[in-house]
């Protein structure tokens, strides 16, 4: 069976965003997402209108990919076009999507305004049926089963390691089973104004920090020239 994606959406070196592959339904969805068909005597493909700006092109390409995926097409979307992809300094391409999903939970937790809202985020991790921890336990158990099928001493040893990890994760979930309720019982947090927060920071900051502060304004970053007009060469 072919592993070629149903639809490939990418940005060419010229800067143009094109889509290739798919069937009649994919063609309809691509057109609905703003792509136009481009033909030659021997082939055809789809492209976004020229010179729309990269931000808008990225949004339109990501929207097209979501629609195609929703109806069952496999889509290979250029990472540079994917506005939903979370990146970090250690994963600039955003390949570790599942780990970044947990990072999104961290952001949600940091952004909560009440302990009740914080407890709801904690439940995402600690829910005994569908939380992150219980699913992580399932993952380690599956990894143990995979290692065990090698039917070698190395496979058996690795299987034991994964089984121990699964047990540790499940035990952690048991120990924290009441944590979200305890978080919720803390009540509403005391909200300070930003002025109070800044004053509190400088009142408690180490004195050595003061020596590193400077009254000099930050340097203005150099301006960059506008991108040249892009045209497709094909």
């Amino acid at each position: 069976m072919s592993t070629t994606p149903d639809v490939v959406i990418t940005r060419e070196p010229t800067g143009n965003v094109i889509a290739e592959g798919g069937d009649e339904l994919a063609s309809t969805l691509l057109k609905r997402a703003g792509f136009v068909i481009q033909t030659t005597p021997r082939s055809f493909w789809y492209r976004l209108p020229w010179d729309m700006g990269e931000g808008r092109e990225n949004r339109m390409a990501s929207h097209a990919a979501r629609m195609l995926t929703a109806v069952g097409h496999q889509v290979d979307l250029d990472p540079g076009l994917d506005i939903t992809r979370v990146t970090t300094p250690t994963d600039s391409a955003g390949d570790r999507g599942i780990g970044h999903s947990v990072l999104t939970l961290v952001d949600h937790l940091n952004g909560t305004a009440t302990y009740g809202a914080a407890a709801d985020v904690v439940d995402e991790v600690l829910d005994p049926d569908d939380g992150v921890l219980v699913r992580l336990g399932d993952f380690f158990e599956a990894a143990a089963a995979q290692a065990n099928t090698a039917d070698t001493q190395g496979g058996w040893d690795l299987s034991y390691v994964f089984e121990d990890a699964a047990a540790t994760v499940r035990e952690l979930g048991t120990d924290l089973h009441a944590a979200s309720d305890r978080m919720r019982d803390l009540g509403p947090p005391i909200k300070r104004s930003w002025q109070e927060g800044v004053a509190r920071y400088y009142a408690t900051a180490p004195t050595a920090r003061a020596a590193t502060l400077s009254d000099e304004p930050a340097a203005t970053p150099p301006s960059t020239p506008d991108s040249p007009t892009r045209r497709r060469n094909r």
Side-chain angles (χ1 to χ4, degrees):
M1 183 174 62
S2 173
T3 59
T4 303
D6 288 348
V7 181
V8 177
I9 305 176
T10 188
R11 185 184 295 279
E12 293 187 315
T14 59
N16 298 312
V17 177
I18 68 166
E20 296 178 291
D23 52 15
E24 185 175 351
L25 176 58
S27 175
T28 299
L29 294 177
L30 285 168
K31 292 175 183 177
R32 184 174 298 177
F35 283 77
V36 296
I37 191 168
Q38 191 81 36
T39 62
T40 68
R42 295 185 177 182
S43 64
F44 70 93
W45 63 93
Y46 306 89
R47 64 170 175 82
L48 288 178
W50 292 315
D51 304 323
M52 300 177 64
E54 289 192 3
R56 186 177 180 190
E57 290 167 348
N58 293 350
R59 291 192 295 272
M60 294 175 71
S62 293
H63 176 57
R66 287 195 298 270
M67 288 197 299
L68 290 164
T69 302
V71 298
H73 285 82
Q74 183 178 351
V75 181
D76 184 358
L77 178 63
D78 188 331
L81 297 171
D82 191 353
I83 64 173
T84 65
R85 188 177 291 249
V86 179
T87 63
T88 66
T90 54
D91 183 21
S92 58
D95 294 327
R96 304 303 184 199
I98 296 175
H100 296 325
S101 296
V102 177
L103 188 61
T104 300
L105 279 179
V106 175
D107 292 337
H108 288 171
L109 182 61
N110 288 334
T112 55
T114 67
Y115 286 117
D120 290 340
V121 180
V122 172
D123 277 333
E124 293 283 348
V125 177
L126 301 183
D127 184 89
D129 297 314
D130 295 293
V132 174
L133 283 184
V134 69
R135 295 308 179 202
L136 191 57
D138 293 341
F139 171 83
F140 283 127
E141 287 182 349
Q146 288 281 1
N148 195 50
T149 58
D151 202 23
T152 64
Q153 187 62 50
W156 298 328
D157 291 342
L158 183 59
S159 176
Y160 298 146
V161 171
F162 282 132
E163 287 175 356
D164 288 344
T168 299
V169 169
R170 295 190 185 285
E171 183 178 354
L172 180 60
T174 300
D175 292 342
L176 294 172
H177 74 282
S180 59
D181 290 335
R182 293 177 63 185
M183 175 74 81
R184 191 172 282 107
D185 290 341
L186 293 175
I190 299 174
K191 303 295 287 186
R192 296 192 304 268
S193 68
W194 68 268
Q195 295 96 332
E196 291 175 311
V198 171
R200 182 181 179 86
Y201 169 77
Y202 282 112
T204 59
T207 55
R209 180 179 176 82
T212 67
L213 300 177
S214 173
D215 294 330
E216 295 179 4
T220 303
S223 59
T224 56
D226 294 334
S227 299
T229 300
R230 294 169 293 160
R231 289 293 184 271
R232 175 179 175 80
N233 297 317
R234 193 177 182 101

